[in-house]
């Protein structure tokens, strides 16, 4: 990182921002403030160039058609892929997760090319996954992730990881990637099916991303309201068997 301000780039929130995923950017700025850090957020619209020198890029979920448009624009722009190969970090949710892979189905089910940042391929689940998703960080996930990951999923895609991507978590309840794994991680890139918004519900993940930018681990700061929300969701999912 070149200076003391963490440069967050929110990519195409007008196309990709279902289920409050824009809240991930707010959660990052909020957690950064708690740690005494300053953030600067650039919101990029389709047609605008994606900055090459951001520190942390965020992609949300979206409908199939918006997802194809976002993938096409990002492939043509090349800025995101360039920033990631220069060491920037990336959080990608649901449609955003699928589209940073090699391919994903469009609205008709036909494979559509992704941006090729993550070694994953997405096709269709037998049945759309809708509901709470609870998953335990995988043994290969960064050691800083110790708490269950909680969120909401709504997707028709099944995601298959290639050898260069490792599962982020193992599903305890819900569907995730469709094979009992959930999400993927590779270098400083995290993809997940967790809406919520994900980082408001999983502050360890927000701190992991911020720590990557700073090249150091952040103190584990606990917020009572967030812990209460997490406890309520975990309890609901475990009791209802969802
Ligand atoms: N369109 C994708 C799917 O249904 C992603 C949906 C989403 O982002 N919520 O699989």
């Amino acid at each position: 990182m070149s200076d003391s301000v963490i440069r967050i780039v929110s990519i195409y929130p007008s196309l990709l921002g279902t289920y409050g995923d824009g809240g991930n950017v707010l959660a990052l700025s909020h957690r950064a403030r708690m740690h005494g850090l300053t953030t600067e957020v650039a919101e990029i619209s389709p047609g605008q160039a994606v900055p090459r020198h951001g520190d942390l890029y965020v992609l949300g979920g979206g409908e199939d058609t918006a997802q194809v448009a976002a993938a096409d624009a990002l492939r043509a722009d090349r800025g995101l892929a360039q920033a990631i190969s220069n060491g920037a970090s990336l959080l990608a949710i649901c449609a955003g997760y699928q589209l940073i892979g090699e391919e994903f189905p469009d609205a008709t089910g036909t494979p559509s090319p992704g941006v090729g940042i993550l070694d994953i391929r997405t096709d269709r689940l037998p049945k759309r996954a809708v509901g709470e998703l609870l998953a335990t960080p995988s043994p290969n996930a960064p050691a800083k992730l110790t708490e269950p990951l909680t969120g909401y999923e709504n997707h028709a895609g099944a995601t298959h990881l290639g050898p260069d991507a490792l599962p982020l978590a193992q599903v305890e309840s819900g569907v995730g990637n469709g094979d009992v794994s959930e999400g993927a991680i590779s270098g400083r890139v995290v993809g997940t099916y967790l809406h919520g918004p994900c980082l408001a519900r999983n502050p360890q993940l927000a701190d992991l991303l911020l720590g990557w930018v700073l090249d150091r681990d952040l103190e584990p700061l606990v917020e009572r309201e967030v812990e209460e929300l997490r406890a309520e969701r975990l309890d609901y999912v475990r009791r209802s068997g969802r």
Side-chain angles (χ1 to χ4, degrees), residues 180-197:
V180 192
S181 70
E182 154 46 26
I185 188 162
S186 175
R188 292 177 168 186
V189 175
V190 176
T192 174
Y193 276 112
L194 293 162
H195 297 282

Side-chain angles (χ1 to χ4, degrees), residues 16 18-19 21 60-65 67 93-96 98 104-105 122-124 128 153-158 193 195:
L16 301 173
T18 47
Y19 309 114
D21 287 341
E63 305 303 328
D64 293 345
T65 309
Q67 181 175 347
I93 310 291
C94 203
Q98 296 175 3
F104 61 88
T122 299
D123 53 22
R124 285 265 189 256
R128 175 170 283 273
E153 65 182 334
N154 183 353
H155 58 100
Y193 276 112
H195 297 282

